[in-house]
Amino acid sequence: MTRSEFSRAIADEFGEAYGRSIVRDVVVTALGERTADEALSAGAPPREVWLALCAAMDVPRERWYGAGRPEPKRA
């Protein structure tokens, strides 16, 4: 997962404004008591941060994987 896919996944799951707030404000134990922003700035892989946020925010497991990928182009 790239950083842009991470951002897309956050927006898709939580919405633009609420997603930004979650990434900036929610402290996640699995990320070493850091926010997603802090973890990403420290070099944590975006996929690891995404999965930790999903668990912390009780996102249903069926929405954890593949999130953030763009829709396939249609011919």
Side-chain angles (χ1 to χ4, degrees):
M1 173 180 267
T2 65
R3 186 74 182 257
S4 63
E5 289 172 334
F6 171 83
S7 296
R8 189 176 307 113
I10 292 293
D12 288 349
E13 183 61 39
F14 302 107
E16 292 286 336
Y18 185 53
R20 281 192 303 272
S21 177
I22 288 170
V23 169
R24 183 185 62 233
D25 299 330
V26 174
V27 174
V28 180
T29 301
L31 297 175
E33 299 297 328
R34 298 180 292 187
T35 66
D37 269 345
E38 292 169 337
L40 290 167
S41 293
R47 183 120 188 112
E48 178 182 306
V49 176
W50 166 248
L51 295 174
L53 274 176
C54 285
M57 300 300 293
D58 294 323
V59 173
R61 277 199 177 265
E62 62 268 13
R63 295 200 309 253
W64 288 20
Y65 300 99
R69 296 209 171 148
E71 291 293 320
K73 292 183 181 175
R74 307 208 186 243

